Amino acid sequence: MTRVAATAAPAGAVALMRPRRTRHGAPPREGYGFALALLAPSSTLIGALLLAPLVLLLIISFKSVKLGNIALILRADFTWDNYIRVLSDPATWHSLSISGAYILGSSIMAFGLGLATALILNEKFPAQRLFRTLMLLPWAVPGITATIAFLWILQPSFGVFNFMLRTLGFAAQDINWFGDSRLALLAVIFPTVWKTYPFFTIMLLAALQTIPRELYEAASIDGANKWRQFQWITWPSLRRYAIVALVFNAMYVFREFDFIFASTKGGPQGATDTIAIRIYNLAFETFDMAAASALGVLTFVLVAICVFGFVRWQMKLEQR
């Protein structure tokens, strides 16, 4: 009888420690209030820091003011004129096209470089961990620092890139990368690619390590070369990860500011005047805060629509 009591006591204690379940198997809601109370301070702070500027931005976009204090802005009349002015301005569509070219060019180049780096780092070779660590360095460098470095690299007279082109015979004279309207966007893309390609490398390398090695061994026995293995094994396994990485990178590049502002400030002749630069110039060069806010809201809506469409498309792919 003593043994039964000794064994029953721990069982009872364990039963008391187990969370009670409701009729449908879900945990009871009694602890939700305490959990919400613990989350309330941080949630309130984050909400104030994130939602307050967004709400103020939305309010300013509907006001007929240029610059003033908050009280003056709140007293102004509501109007749609800011959105009409922004959407009817050819400079807005020009900036949108520049942003599209900037995203497309930098994403393609960064993805190609990231994929090649991931394939190399996925192989076993000496000092593999060291090279994986060094690969992350561009991602850790601040954008303004990378831009200044590339301003020196692409400097027309004594830049190392022009020196290499002249030495190899690809250029007969100095090339003004940031001063030529035909090359300025490409010059801005270079530091963007150098900064963002480690993101693709990390995403694709993580996906590569989930592919079983037995698939490559079986394909090698069947006589498939490296290209066939990549075509039928590697790329189908990477495709969904690659799409997600491209979408996230496009969102990052779309709002990119420091690379362009530190090098060209949207010039020459508007060749690098992206949406982010356009918003800055409207707000702090012409002090048209209402138009800048309206353009910011439209940009937010455009990104939200693109993300929503991507999520729906990705969910359909998952259901197949």
Side-chain angles (χ1 to χ4, degrees):
M1 196 167 182
T2 308
R3 289 182 180 177
V4 173
T7 56
V14 172
L16 289 174
M17 294 174 64
R18 289 176 182 168
R20 292 186 294 109
R21 297 283 174 176
T22 60
R23 184 172 56 184
H24 300 287
R29 297 178 175 272
E30 295 152 0
Y32 285 179
F34 181 67
L36 292 175
L38 292 176
L39 291 174
S42 59
S43 300
T44 304
L45 181 61
I46 293 174
L49 292 176
L50 294 181
L51 294 180
L54 289 177
V55 172
L56 183 60
L57 178 73
L58 184 62
I59 292 173
I60 295 176
S61 68
F62 286 102
K63 297 290 187 173
S64 57
V65 294
K66 282 201 170 185
L67 186 63
N69 55 32
I70 300 297
L72 179 62
I73 292 173
L74 294 177
R75 286 198 303 267
D77 297 329
F78 276 87
T79 179
W80 289 92
D81 291 344
N82 299 320
Y83 289 94
I84 295 173
R85 285 194 297 119
V86 167
L87 291 174
S88 61
D89 190 355
T92 301
W93 302 103
H94 171 74
S95 298
L96 187 61
S97 65
I98 295 296
S99 295
Y102 181 49
I103 292 171
L104 185 64
S106 60
S107 297
I108 291 175
M109 294 173 65
F111 177 79
L113 185 59
L115 177 60
T117 308
L119 291 172
I120 293 172
L121 294 178
N122 193 45
E123 301 294 331
K124 293 183 178 180
F125 56 89
Q128 183 189 45
R129 294 183 178 180
L130 175 63
F131 282 100
R132 286 183 179 180
T133 304
L134 293 176
M135 179 273 302
L136 291 172
L137 290 180
W139 203 9
V141 175
I144 187 66
T145 305
T147 305
I148 293 174
F150 273 86
L151 283 172
W152 283 88
I153 292 173
L154 299 177
Q155 209 279 338
S157 301
F158 51 81
V160 64
F161 193 63
N162 276 349
F163 173 76
M164 292 174 60
L165 292 178
R166 291 193 304 269
T167 304
L168 296 175
F170 291 108
Q173 58 185 3
D174 295 333
I175 301 175
N176 189 4
W177 291 95
F178 291 101
D180 191 338
S181 59
R182 298 168 298 179
L183 300 173
L185 186 60
L186 182 62
V188 170
I189 287 175
F190 286 154
T192 309
V193 170
W194 184 81
K195 172 76 174 175
T196 56
Y197 91 88
F199 170 72
F200 287 107
T201 303
I202 293 172
M203 292 283 291
L204 299 177
L205 181 59
L208 283 171
Q209 293 180 345
T210 63
I211 304 175
R213 288 288 179 180
E214 291 79 7
L215 296 178
Y216 293 102
E217 294 174 1
S220 180
I221 293 173
D222 291 339
N225 55 23
K226 291 292 185 181
W227 169 247
R228 291 295 182 185
Q229 293 178 19
F230 176 83
Q231 184 179 4
W232 297 108
I233 299 175
T234 306
W235 179 246
S237 302
L238 292 180
R239 184 171 57 242
R240 291 181 179 178
Y241 299 95
I243 293 172
V244 172
L246 284 168
V247 170
F248 275 98
N249 183 75
M251 293 172 59
Y252 171 80
V253 175
F254 185 69
R255 56 93 181 153
E256 190 55 57
F257 176 80
D258 48 359
F259 292 127
I260 300 175
F261 186 79
S263 57
T264 63
K265 295 185 178 180
Q269 300 176 2
T272 58
D273 190 18
T274 60
I275 288 292
I277 297 296
R278 176 75 180 155
I279 293 173
Y280 175 86
N281 289 334
L282 283 174
F284 300 106
E285 295 293 334
T286 62
F287 299 104
D288 194 350
M289 291 291 182
S293 301
L295 186 56
V297 171
L298 291 174
T299 302
F300 178 81
V301 172
L302 177 62
V303 173
I305 292 173
C306 292
V307 172
F308 178 76
F310 165 74
V311 172
R312 290 290 300 272
W313 177 64
Q314 191 73 7
M315 290 175 63
K316 290 181 180 179
L317 288 180
E318 293 292 339
Q319 293 173 359
R320 292 180 181 177

